Amino acid sequence: MPKVDIALSLYCELISRILCLNCFQKLRIATMTKTLAEIGLLMMINPEIKNDDLHLPPDGLPCYRILTGKDDAKFCHRVSEALSLGYQLYGSPAATFNGQDVIVAQAIIWPEAQ
């Protein structure tokens, strides 16, 4: 596996663990520190590696996101915008009712993270 793919995989795994509320409590500081150190070491060993080479999402966006909101055109536009940036749908959408509005959620993932 190329070094760039390893760095991207480590970065996306770290972000996914941080964003997952159930996993957050299980995430140890040592694991996070080790992962960040490995990414930093890889970039120090290969200074020619840039963000563009790692195929990261634009504008510093995370590799894994959950979009939530009222089930309306605005939410649909947010999902469409993420897809046009290059994200892919991840899993099925979810819906619930808060007593006033239908609230929907859709997970998206950057394709390089899979």
Side-chain angles (χ1 to χ4, degrees), residues 41-108:
L41 179 62
L42 178 62
M43 293 205 169
M44 286 171 43
I45 291 170
N46 295 313
E48 69 277 0
I49 295 176
K50 299 180 180 84
N51 243 13
D52 294 341
D53 297 331
L54 293 177
H55 307 289
L56 297 176
D59 303 323
L61 293 169
C63 294
Y64 175 82
R65 298 169 59 193
I66 297 179
L67 303 176
T68 61
K70 288 177 24 177
D71 187 15
D72 59 9
K74 183 179 175 183
F75 178 80
C76 294
H77 287 294
R78 289 177 55 215
V79 173
S80 296
E81 180 184 354
L83 294 175
S84 70
L85 287 174
Y87 280 94
Q88 295 176 349
L89 299 177
Y90 187 76
S92 300
T96 189
F97 184 67
N98 68 2
Q100 185 177 9
D101 299 302
V102 174
I103 306 298
V104 290
Q106 175 63 59
I108 55 174

